[in-house]
Amino acid sequence: NVQQLADGGVFVGWGTDGSFSEFDKHGALRFDARFADGQVDYRAFRFEWSAKPTGKPAMAVRQNGDGTMTVYASWNGATGITHWQICTGKHPSRMETAVTHRRHGFETAMTMPAQSGYICIVAVGADGRRRGAARPIPV
């Protein structure tokens, strides 16, 4: 199948071959892929997709031996997250942003000085708005 794109390019699904390609308006290849597990498809389409998972973001904390800790953050399926805020405090109801990190892939690992009290992560969108937060956990 062929899908005409708004910029004049096309997106092609190669059917039972299991691959799909995108070409610019001059015919130059921009993107070419196939399913890694050998799956096939009948049709392929390109479109904007936005998702906000149900539930809260997930986090884990590892205390390192050098006086730091690594905070892991993810929110399965969230497409609008650009940054993670790490919030800390002595009580779960009184937490403040300690650091902000750019989101990297499915799970973002962030290292910071070791803390005591409580910690949580907050998912932040490109517009600076908070999208979701994990439950605070003791550290």
Side-chain angles (χ1 to χ4, degrees), residues 34-113:
R34 75 174 41 251
F35 293 113
D37 62 359
Q39 291 287 322
V40 298
D41 60 58
Y42 178 67
R43 290 192 180 122
F45 297 97
R46 177 157 182 169
F47 57 92
E48 291 293 321
W49 182 66
S50 173
K52 180 182 176 189
T54 58
K56 297 182 176 291
M59 68 176 284
V61 178
R62 182 183 73 205
Q63 298 290 342
N64 303 319
D66 61 358
T68 65
M69 63 185 190
T70 303
V71 179
Y72 299 91
S74 67
W75 199 8
N76 191 16
T79 57
I81 305 308
T82 59
H83 291 81
W84 291 104
Q85 291 177 339
I86 301 175
C87 299
T88 59
K90 297 295 179 195
H91 191 275
S93 65
R94 293 187 300 276
M95 301 186 72
E96 296 182 7
T97 301
V99 292
T100 300
H101 286 271
R102 182 169 261 318
R103 177 181 167 257
H104 295 286
F106 179 76
E107 181 178 78
T108 302
M110 303 163 280
T111 301
M112 62 182 287

